[in-house]
Amino acid sequence: MSSCVLRQRATFLLRSLTFVLTLVLVVQVHWLSLVPFSVRPSRRSVAWAVGEGAACPGPPCDVFFLKTHKTASSVVQNLLLRWGARRSLVFGAPGRGTYLGHPKPFTFDLVRHTPLVPPWGDRRANVIAHHLRLKDPEEICKSLSKDAVWITIMRDPSASFQSMFSYYNLEDELHTPLLRLLDYPRAKMNAFPRYFGRIGRNQVLFDLGVEPEDFDSAGVVEEAIRKVEQNFHLVIIAEYMDESLILLKDLLGLKTRDLVTLSQRVRLRPGNATQDALDPRRSAKLRDWLRGDHRLHQHFSERLLELVAHFGRARMDKEVAELRALREDTRRRCGVSEYARRDDSIKSYGRKDLPLLVGYRSTGSSHFCRALVKPNVALTREVVRRQFLRYFQYHFGDKKYEFFPET
């Protein structure tokens, strides 16, 4: 057989093999597009097939919500507080204030070694939804079940920092207006201390346990992203809040009514005053200074849009429209009105000029309507009261405890 014929046969076989492999690859890609997109953090066994139903189809999942600062996290905390209370779930809540150890790293004894968890069994909580600093994820695993669903939230870091600067009145604390701060050299900006050791630059990285001296390390930031990918089922993005809430509903098996909340911790600004507008140069400098948090926000914004695509864009638009309509209908049925209230939750910072927030009243008589208009501080106080009284009655019987007034 001539070498020419051999070459022709070899070429034919090679082309045939290439065609078959290409066909197999196309079929596999098409099949994968039909398989539900699954989120399974490596530390726990619970998985979530996006758009295919709850991660825990039976009893409610335990939930860990890493509440970050000035990211609209109070909206998510509010719905978790009301959802958990309706199901008599146990909260790993602070006995006082709104922080679980922060800025010190969270340790399991802040939940399990307190009178707020049941004094029997393994003394674990069902829900953790208050501010804490996540240095070691294993400490959360010791406080909840291994099948807990992990959630957090992020917002555009530049907008979040400007909000923090105004809300905590950092101009007085630092003796420097924001516009002047952004004119300082980078080294001087980095030298400003965190407010009460907890509020400042790259707040999300700090809440994730990253130390300020590592904020400019690209490797540390990428490791923080890997840590979130490894541990969290869902990262809510504030700019896509309603879409995120629909994904949360799918993840936890909630009803649309469970997602109905009122905007939380919205400030009233006299004369409709706004935060200092930043010119392009200062905006770019702020963004570069917060580069670490911006990297997280960019990554998980793209991740959220992937989840939305797997959920189905048309289905998402339909459910978002239903949520918004139900939100407006609920406000109308509950007779919700607004008023100005002082934010007494930050008295511990020594602030005398407490910011004015939007408060809510309801003319509705149902328990749902009454709970809907309560601020998170009041809902937390009810949780603490209920759980501590259970502990007291377990040890001391029916003796009346007078510390907590009846509500």
Side-chain angles (χ1 to χ4, degrees):
M1 186 177 295
S2 69
S3 60
C4 182
V5 173
L6 288 174
R7 281 197 301 271
Q8 287 177 346
R9 289 187 176 182
T11 301
F12 175 77
L13 288 173
L14 182 60
R15 287 177 178 174
S16 299
L17 181 60
T18 302
F19 174 77
V20 170
L21 290 175
T22 302
L23 183 62
V24 169
L25 180 61
V26 169
V27 170
Q28 285 184 335
V29 169
H30 176 70
W31 179 81
L32 286 172
S33 69
L34 301 177
V35 174
F37 185 75
S38 181
V39 178
R40 183 191 289 274
S42 61
R43 288 186 181 269
R44 292 164 310 285
S45 61
V46 63
W48 168 40
V50 180
E52 296 295 318
C56 301
C61 291
D62 285 358
V63 177
F64 168 51
F65 174 54
L66 177 61
K67 187 178 188 299
T68 51
H69 289 78
K70 307 309 293 179
T71 55
S73 62
S74 293
V75 170
V76 182
Q77 184 192 46
N78 181 271
L79 74 85
L80 289 174
L81 285 169
R82 293 185 292 119
W83 170 75
R86 286 195 300 272
R87 287 157 179 79
S88 299
L89 301 182
V90 176
F91 284 85
R96 297 181 58 186
T98 59
Y99 287 91
L100 281 166
H102 197 293
K104 293 181 180 178
F106 175 82
T107 54
F108 74 91
D109 57 289
L110 293 169
V111 169
R112 296 181 66 179
H113 294 174
T114 73
L116 298 183
V117 293
W120 56 84
D122 60 6
R123 298 180 60 78
R124 294 177 186 265
N126 300 123
V127 181
I128 295 176
H130 288 78
H131 283 298
L132 59 83
R133 191 158 179 239
L134 182 65
K135 190 77 171 179
D136 182 1
E138 289 301 326
E139 296 295 319
I140 297 294
C141 295
K142 295 174 184 177
S143 307
L144 302 171
S145 76
K146 65 181 179 65
D147 290 334
V149 166
W150 287 37
I151 305 158
T152 189
I153 183 169
M154 298 178 187
R155 176 190 177 194
D156 176 82
S158 295
S160 180
F161 183 83
Q162 290 179 76
S163 179
M164 282 193 298
F165 201 92
S166 174
Y167 178 77
Y168 293 105
N169 197 17
L170 296 187
E171 179 175 338
D172 285 355
E173 177 70 17
L174 303 177
H175 308 292
T176 305
L178 179 59
L179 296 181
R180 188 185 303 165
L181 173 68
L182 293 174
D183 287 334
Y184 287 144
R186 179 69 168 265
K188 188 171 182 178
M189 293 172 66
N190 291 350
F192 278 102
R194 302 191 79 81
Y195 185 52
F196 275 74
R198 62 168 59 113
I199 304 297
R201 178 191 179 203
N202 282 335
Q203 189 61 50
V204 173
L205 280 174
F206 187 77
D207 291 341
L208 286 168
V210 177
E211 298 301 332
E213 58 267 25
D214 294 324
F215 284 166
D216 292 320
S217 168
V220 171
V221 172
E222 293 304 315
E223 176 62 18
I225 291 174
R226 188 198 64 79
K227 176 180 174 181
V228 175
E229 289 277 14
Q230 182 184 42
N231 288 286
F232 287 82
H233 292 81
L234 176 64
V235 177
I236 294 169
I237 299 298
E239 290 79 11
Y240 300 99
M241 178 60 83
D242 286 342
E243 290 86 349
S244 297
L245 292 179
I246 296 301
L247 291 173
L248 181 64
K249 175 172 80 82
D250 185 67
L251 172 59
L252 295 181
L254 306 179
K255 298 178 181 178
T256 304
R257 190 184 190 215
D258 294 324
L259 304 180
V260 173
T261 60
L262 303 173
S263 298
Q264 299 293 316
R265 305 180 72 79
V266 176
R267 276 171 293 157
L268 289 172
R269 297 186 176 92
N272 294 321
T274 58
Q275 297 165 0
D276 291 333
L278 301 183
D279 57 68
R281 180 185 64 81
R282 289 189 176 99
S283 294
K285 188 171 183 179
L286 179 60
R287 183 179 180 87
D288 184 62
W289 193 48
L290 304 174
R291 186 189 310 160
D293 268 8
H294 271 288
R295 176 72 185 99
L296 263 73
H297 181 262
Q298 176 191 13
H299 177 91
F300 288 103
S301 293
E302 294 171 357
R303 177 67 163 161
L304 183 87
L305 294 178
E306 289 178 11
L307 296 178
V308 169
H310 283 281
F311 185 84
R313 186 72 252 185
R315 178 184 172 189
M316 176 62 73
D317 291 343
K318 177 176 179 293
E319 295 204 22
V320 165
E322 291 173 354
L323 171 59
R324 291 172 179 171
L326 181 59
R327 188 182 290 142
E328 291 303 313
D329 182 63
T330 301
R331 286 185 66 113
R332 187 166 50 253
R333 286 188 298 103
C334 288
V336 174
S337 59
E338 299 178 355
Y339 71 99
R341 69 177 181 88
R342 291 288 178 185
D343 182 14
D344 58 4
S345 68
I346 59 172
K347 281 184 178 178
S348 60
Y349 290 100
R351 288 279 299 276
K352 296 180 179 178
D353 55 332
L354 299 178
L356 276 175
L357 302 181
V358 176
Y360 302 100
R361 296 188 181 95
S362 171
T363 60
S365 59
S366 70
H367 176 77
F368 180 88
C369 290
R370 294 198 306 271
L372 180 68
V373 297
K374 290 180 180 178
N376 292 0
V377 171
L379 293 172
T380 298
R381 194 177 300 126
E382 291 179 1
V383 164
V384 170
R385 179 183 187 278
R386 182 178 65 249
Q387 294 181 187
F388 182 82
L389 287 180
R390 175 183 53 207
Y391 176 90
F392 183 85
Q393 289 164 2
Y394 178 84
H395 286 288
F396 302 103
D398 295 330
K399 186 184 298 185
K400 189 173 179 61
Y401 187 75
E402 300 291 349
F403 181 77
F404 291 103
E406 294 293 335
T407 55

